[in-house]
Each structure stands twice: as C-alpha cells, then as structure tokens.
DNA sequence: TTCCAGGGAGTAT
DNA sequence: ATACTCCATGGA
C-alpha cells in the first residue's frame, strides 16, 4: 500500500507507549488484533503488511486523521513544534477498547517494560495461541475469560493489587452491566464520567481509553511525564500559584489533574490528544540517557 | 539494596 | 472538597 503524501511514522507510532503488545523482529513489526497475528513494515512511503485488509490498516493506525491539519492546530509554540518535527508522522492508534481498557488499568503506577510483561503474561495464560512466521503469538483474553478467572491467577501475571480491579471490571463488561462500545457515541465528558465508575479507572486511565480506542482526540491524559512537561515548559501559562505548587511534586491530586487536563485541552484544542502523545514521546526520548525501553 | 513506575482507592479531616 | 496513605510487583 502506497502512502503517497500521507505522513506516517510506523516506528514512532508503535514505540511511543500507546500500545504494549507489538514487537519488532528482523525489520517487521508483529502484533495481534482480534483473532490473528499480522506483521507490517514501512519502507519510505510504502506500507507492507500481511493478514490484514487495507481498510483495517488505515483505521487501526489512524491514517484517516488529517495530520497536517492537526499539526497546524496544535503547533502553538516552539516546544511542541520541535516534538512534531522529531516524530513527524506519528499517529494515534485506534486500539480495541476492551484491550485498551485492561491495558491502562494495568498501567497504573507501573513502568512500560513491566506493563508489557503483565499483558504478555495475561495473553499467554488466558489468550489463544496463534502462529506467524514460525513464532508464537497470543490473542488478548476475552471479557468472558477474565471475568471467570480467579484473582490469584491474575495476580500471578504480575498484576499485584490491580488483579481485583481487572476482575471486577471484566465482570461488568462480560455481564453487560457496562457498555464500552456505546461510549463512542457519547460526548467526551459523559463518556469519561462513565468510565470513571469502573473499578481501577480514574481520570487518567479514562483519558487514555478515550484517546487510544474511542476516537476522542480531545482527551489529554496527564501522567507523571506530561505533568513534568507542563510544569517545565508551560508553567508560565498556568496560574502562578498552581505552577509553584506542582514544582517538584510527585503525584497529582484529583483537582490538580483536572486543572492540567483542562489546560491541555484549552490550549491545544480539539486535537489535544495528539499534542499529548507527541509531548509524551518527546519528553521520554529526551530523558536522561534515552534509557527508556522500547 | 534501594528506588521508582503512563494512578487509584480508602480514610480522615 | 482536600490531604494523606497504602497499594503488589518488577525492572533499573
């Protein structure tokens, strides 16, 4: 498939920490969605893949997003313009909402390598095996499977205290008490409010699920890295009292989260989620020693 | 060994 | 509403 003048950066898109179950082997990215594995690679403006339709690829990798337009809207200052330049072509992936939800419940208070390990363990224990190019892959477990698991089994995957959150949320989804897909047609605020009723889901996890799987590009997740970016590079745009209070703080209160979240959405606009992801990746890649695991 | 991680929930004010 | 505390585990 030829990208033509559609800017795309596959490596940045899969490396920036929005998805956790892709791996690069001999120049190809291998991943699992739905019931099968597929691989994809980019050579210039050529995108090669197997086991997937062109329609699926366009949808999954957000190739329908008008990146030049988005860039023009969020490129408000030199700092984010540098991030846009550095990883130009990086896109917000449209993940499966269910996998995304469980992934970000697991992601709380964990490093990315540890998150990858947890999700791999979950898939190995509860998913179904499939093969591609002689390698083994596992589908992501279904709501039914996780809902009928025991807390101890989930904990054994390295989830720790998150095990009971994953179990209870899985039960709500499986039993039809929570309609994840229906959130897609709700406005951002309402969808977020509903997500936050799930155990293990607070404002940050909700924002990630909305942005990475439910087409809410205005969502602006604020984690430790983004909080650091805002304080260090946009602190002068915050109320002086707030900027001072956040300086050197290790975690945000819910009120502080709301204020940084609101800042991001108001400053960057309807595509704030794209701004967030470029800033997040830029900050992490420029962190001391570039030692962040891919 | 010690520190920290894409935060959230529970509890006391 | 806000502040403080604990959380279970693994990677660095």
């Amino acid at each position: 498939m030829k990208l033509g003048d559609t800017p795309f950066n596959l490596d940045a898109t899969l490396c920036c920490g929005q998805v956790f179950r892709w791996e690069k082997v001999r120049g190809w990215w291998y991943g699992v969605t739905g019931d099968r594995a597929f691989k994809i690679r980019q050579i210039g403006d050529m995108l090669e893949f197997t086991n997937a339709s062109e329609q699926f690829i366009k949808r999954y990798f957000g190739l329908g997003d008008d990146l030049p337009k988005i860039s023009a809207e969020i490129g408000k200052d030199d700092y984010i313009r540098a991030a846009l330049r550095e990883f130009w072509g990086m896109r917000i992936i449209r993940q499966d909402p269910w996998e995304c939800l469980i992934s970000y419940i697991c992601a709380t208070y964990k490093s990315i390598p540890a998150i990858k390990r947890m999700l791999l363990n979950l898939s190995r224990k509860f998913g179904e095996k499939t093969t591609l190019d002689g390698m083994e892959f596992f589908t992501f477990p279904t709501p039914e499977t996780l809902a009928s698991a025991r807390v101890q089994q989930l904990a054994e995957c390295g989830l720790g205290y998150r095990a009971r959150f994953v179990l209870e949320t899985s039960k709500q989804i499986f039993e039809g008490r929570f309609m994840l897909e229906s959130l897609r047609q709700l406005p951002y605020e309402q969808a977020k409010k509903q997500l936050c009723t799930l155990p293990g889901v607070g404002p940050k996890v909700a924002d990630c699920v909305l942005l990475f799987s439910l087409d809410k590009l205005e969502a602006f997740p604020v984690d430790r890295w983004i909080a650091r970016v805002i304080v260090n590079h946009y602190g002068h745009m915050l109320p002086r009292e707030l900027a001072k209070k956040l300086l050197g703080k290790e975690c945000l209160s819910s009120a502080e989260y709301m204020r940084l979240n609101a800042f991001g959405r108001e400053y960057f606009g309807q595509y704030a989620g794209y701004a967030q992801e470029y800033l997040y990746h830029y900050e992490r890649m420029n962190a001391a020693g570039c030692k962040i695991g891919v």
Side-chain angles (χ1 to χ4, degrees):
Chain A
M1 165 180 163
K2 215 160 166 49
L3 287 162
D5 58 357
T6 303
F8 185 48
N9 184 335
L10 178 65
D11 283 337
T13 299
L14 290 174
C15 281
C16 69
Q18 55 177 328
V19 280
F20 305 103
R21 269 163 38 79
W22 283 85
E23 55 177 318
K24 197 174 191 179
V25 181
R26 292 187 292 276
W28 288 88
W29 283 101
Y30 288 81
V32 185
T33 61
D35 60 354
R36 64 177 184 277
F38 69 98
K39 63 177 177 179
I40 183 168
R41 70 175 175 181
Q42 179 179 13
I43 299 172
D45 74 334
M46 189 60 76
L47 216 48
E48 296 179 64
F49 47 86
T50 66
N51 270 4
S53 69
E54 187 168 316
Q55 182 187 0
F56 173 81
I57 295 294
K58 283 183 179 169
R59 161 92 188 133
Y60 184 81
F61 288 102
L63 293 172
D65 296 342
D66 187 345
L67 200 49
K69 178 190 172 193
I70 291 170
S71 174
E73 286 209 26
I74 65 178
K76 305 277 189 188
D77 56 81
D78 288 341
Y79 189 73
I80 189 165
R81 280 197 291 269
L84 283 162
R85 194 177 327 118
E86 180 96 8
F87 303 111
W88 182 239
M90 186 175 79
R91 287 169 185 273
I92 300 294
I93 288 179
R94 291 341 188 259
Q95 303 179 34
D96 168 58
W98 155 249
E99 176 170 346
C100 189
L101 173 62
I102 298 303
S103 297
Y104 281 92
I105 290 176
C106 290
T108 62
Y109 203 40
K110 270 296 188 186
S111 67
I112 287 184
I115 298 163
K116 291 182 174 182
R117 174 58 57 183
M118 286 190 278
L119 296 175
L120 180 62
N121 290 342
L122 275 180
S123 300
R124 274 213 275 248
K125 189 188 276 277
F126 297 104
E128 291 184 15
K129 188 193 295 184
T130 176
T131 62
L132 179 59
D133 293 343
M135 291 180 285
E136 284 185 355
F137 299 92
F138 295 85
T139 63
F140 195 76
T142 63
E144 178 172 14
T145 311
L146 291 190
S148 55
R150 280 205 281 266
V151 191
Q152 180 57 30
Q153 292 178 289
L154 297 174
E156 284 167 6
C157 293
L159 301 202
Y161 64 87
R162 302 162 195 78
R164 61 190 179 89
F165 296 149
V166 167
L167 180 60
E168 180 53 31
T169 289
S170 299
K171 284 181 177 171
Q172 288 202 34
I173 304 280
F174 172 59
E175 293 166 8
R177 285 182 280 150
F178 191 95
M179 302 299 186
L180 193 49
E181 273 295 341
S182 70
L183 299 183
R184 201 184 295 278
Q185 55 216 45
L186 290 182
Y188 166 75
E189 297 284 2
Q190 289 184 37
K192 183 172 179 178
K193 191 173 174 184
Q194 289 211 25
L195 275 171
C196 288
T197 65
L198 291 169
V201 180
K204 191 271 175 182
V205 171
D207 275 323
C208 286
V209 175
L210 291 169
L211 175 61
F212 300 134
S213 74
L214 290 169
D215 297 308
K216 307 301 184 195
L217 296 184
E218 71 267 47
F220 190 83
V222 181
D223 73 326
R224 294 161 184 267
W225 293 88
I226 287 297
R228 210 172 301 159
V229 170
I230 296 177
V231 172
N232 291 340
H233 300 280
Y234 298 91
H236 62 285
M237 306 181 66
L238 298 174
R240 190 168 296 281
E241 203 49 42
L242 178 62
K244 194 170 149 190
K245 195 165 67 169
L246 293 177
L247 208 56
K249 229 185 158 200
E250 69 288 351
C251 61
L252 300 176
S253 70
S254 60
E256 288 158 355
Y257 183 95
M258 287 215 295
R259 297 182 70 175
L260 295 189
N261 176 257
F263 164 77
R265 286 185 291 127
E266 285 162 17
Y267 179 64
F268 293 112
Q270 61 176 323
Y271 301 115
Y274 261 95
Q276 188 272 0
E277 204 55 18
Y278 274 90
L279 292 174
Y280 175 79
H281 194 43
Y282 191 59
E283 179 75 5
R284 284 169 55 85
M285 290 305 107
N286 287 321
C290 296
K291 57 184 169 53
I292 312 296
V294 172

